[in-house]
Amino acid sequence: MAIRSPASLLLFAFLMLALTGRLQARGSSCIGVYWGQNTDEGSLAAACATGNYDYVNIASLFKFGMGQTPEINLAGHCDPRNNGCARLSSEIQSCQERGVKVMLSIGGGGSYGLSSTEDAKAVASYLWHSFLGGSDARYSRPLGDAVLDGIDFNIAGGSTEHYDELAAFLKAYNEQEAGTKKVHLSAAPQCPFPDYWLANALRTDLFDFVWVQFFNNPSCHFSENAINLANAFNKWAVSIPAQKMFLGLPAAPEAAPSGGYIPPDDLISQVLPILKDSDKYAGIMLWNRYHDRLSGYSSQVKSHVCPARRFSNILSMPVKSSK
């Protein structure tokens, strides 16, 4: 029978920690970014090729629901009206081959809302067949044949109802259509809790990632210290079922006119050490790729962002006697 002494377990834990750190540095940044709102941000493929991001939200589907024809706006990158955005399919697949999850962000600044359960069901059908694993020929695929990894709810206007139903309908497609890629759902609420538009949806257990926007909200974003931010983050962590929470940040002061920018040194020294105490902390989300490309924010912080790996279970294993 193998003998496990406290000393050998401790050594094993440190070796695993070192190995995890090396693997993490090579293959994971725990950083997400929004892409699609400035032609000077570069291509989607180039963003993924930096190795700085684990998640990219394509922004955005700014018109949907309430009987409207859905419409995507990528700010001059391509024109979906003449099928010009279908060429992004190869770039999406390039990102995915690098291990980057590519999501479609819905909402932001635009005209949208859900008027009823049936409206939510219709929007879910459109999203499934137009961007996800569906194949109904009645729907065009604005971004080509690539199958996105999920949908990001960046709701900041319109109605507040039926987003929980939209999330449920989207998740149900995986159960109904065996063999399709898992649909990940994310949300980007404002940091004051509860979020005005997504409160009901975020009470469900349907969201895989929640990147709370800690900017343009003086009551909870970073100012001179991390106290307000940490308290707000913890409030979110204990109040919603989602297991992975990200700190949503501007990548430059210009990205958040009403404040909330955290200089990289302050993020590393003041904020992250506190947030990493939360089991739900999973990384940061940046607004947006254009500002990050200019500031180099993600490059400056990426080696510090991922949550610490915990080996308490290893160290608490019972020690077997040598007798």
Side-chain angles (χ1 to χ4, degrees), residues 55-74:
Y55 312 88
V56 175
N57 288 332
I58 296 176
S60 63
L61 187 78
F62 75 101
K63 183 185 291 186
F64 63 85
M66 303 184 297
Q68 303 178 103
T69 300
E71 190 172 341
I72 192 170
N73 176 13
L74 296 181

Side-chain angles (χ1 to χ4, degrees), residues 270-322:
Q270 296 187 46
V271 179
L272 294 182
I274 298 175
L275 298 192
K276 287 182 180 182
D277 284 338
S278 170
D279 289 338
K280 289 190 176 183
Y281 168 78
I284 66 173
M285 169 60 73
L286 296 177
W287 177 265
N288 54 25
R289 169 59 183 162
Y290 167 72
H291 290 289
D292 189 40
R293 187 185 188 193
L294 294 179
S295 69
Y297 196 95
S298 61
S299 295
Q300 296 176 65
V301 305
K302 69 177 181 179
S303 62
H304 303 274
V305 169
C306 282
R309 305 305 182 194
R310 293 174 173 84
F311 292 92
S312 56
N313 289 339
I314 296 174
L315 297 177
S316 63
M317 291 170 64
V319 179
K320 293 186 180 294
S321 172
S322 59

Side-chain angles (χ1 to χ4, degrees), residues 4-323:
R4 291 197 295 265
S5 68
S8 65
L9 286 172
L10 186 60
L11 177 61
F12 177 69
F14 280 123
L15 289 173
M16 288 296 293
L17 182 60
L19 177 60
T20 302
R22 287 196 295 270
L23 292 175
Q24 177 177 291
R26 293 176 184 174
S28 182
S29 69
C30 303
I31 297 175
V33 73
Y34 282 84
W35 176 91
Q37 289 303 292
N38 194 306
T39 53
D40 291 333
E41 66 195 339
S43 71
L44 176 62
C48 295
T50 64
N52 288 359
Y53 313 117
D54 286 347
Y55 312 88
V56 175
N57 288 332
I58 296 176
S60 63
L61 187 78
F62 75 101
K63 183 185 291 186
F64 63 85
M66 303 184 297
Q68 303 178 103
T69 300
E71 190 172 341
I72 192 170
N73 176 13
L74 296 181
H77 281 287
C78 55
D79 187 351
R81 294 170 296 183
N82 60 14
N83 204 35
C85 297
R87 64 176 176 79
L88 290 177
S89 180
S90 61
E91 297 193 40
I92 293 167
Q93 292 167 342
S94 173
C95 290
Q96 292 170 332
E97 289 169 0
R98 295 177 183 273
V100 179
K101 286 184 171 58
V102 184
M103 318 268 284
L104 174 68
S105 186
I106 65 172
S111 171
Y112 51 84
L114 301 172
S115 58
S116 65
T117 299
E118 287 304 311
D119 196 15
K121 188 174 184 179
V123 171
S125 180
Y126 167 78
L127 293 172
W128 174 253
H129 292 290
S130 299
F131 301 99
L132 301 170
S135 56
D136 191 325
R138 292 175 297 176
Y139 296 86
S140 65
R141 296 190 67 90
L143 302 181
D145 292 333
V147 178
L148 298 184
D149 293 285
I151 302 296
D152 173 57
F153 289 49
N154 183 19
I155 307 304
S159 64
T160 63
E161 301 297 322
H162 307 293
Y163 286 105
D164 54 341
E165 294 175 300
L166 175 60
F169 286 132
L170 287 169
K171 284 289 190 179
Y173 275 113
N174 277 150
E175 300 174 7
Q176 297 167 3
E177 302 194 22
T180 54
K181 178 187 291 189
K182 177 183 177 180
V183 175
H184 292 87
L185 297 183
S186 64
Q190 303 290 315
C191 58
F193 184 88
D195 184 76
Y196 178 75
W197 287 282
L198 289 173
N200 290 335
L202 290 172
R203 290 190 186 101
T204 72
D205 62 355
L206 299 170
F207 288 85
D208 302 279
F209 321 115
V210 176
W211 10 78
V212 184
Q213 298 182 50
F214 282 90
F215 52 97
N216 294 333
N217 285 287
S219 66
C220 48
H221 69 215
F222 181 90
S223 53
E224 296 180 357
N225 57 60
I227 295 175
N228 283 349
L229 184 152
N231 288 339
F233 188 94
N234 288 333
K235 176 65 175 177
W236 276 97
V238 301
S239 301
I240 63 173
Q243 293 300 302
K244 290 187 177 183
M245 283 183 48
F246 292 71
L247 179 69
L249 297 174
E254 298 77 17
S258 297
Y261 174 73
I262 306 177
D265 288 345
D266 290 338
L267 179 72
I268 294 167
S269 64
Q270 296 187 46
V271 179
L272 294 182
I274 298 175
L275 298 192
K276 287 182 180 182
D277 284 338
S278 170
D279 289 338
K280 289 190 176 183
Y281 168 78
I284 66 173
M285 169 60 73
L286 296 177
W287 177 265
N288 54 25
R289 169 59 183 162
Y290 167 72
H291 290 289
D292 189 40
R293 187 185 188 193
L294 294 179
S295 69
Y297 196 95
S298 61
S299 295
Q300 296 176 65
V301 305
K302 69 177 181 179
S303 62
H304 303 274
V305 169
C306 282
R309 305 305 182 194
R310 293 174 173 84
F311 292 92
S312 56
N313 289 339
I314 296 174
L315 297 177
S316 63
M317 291 170 64
V319 179
K320 293 186 180 294
S321 172
S322 59
K323 294 181 179 179

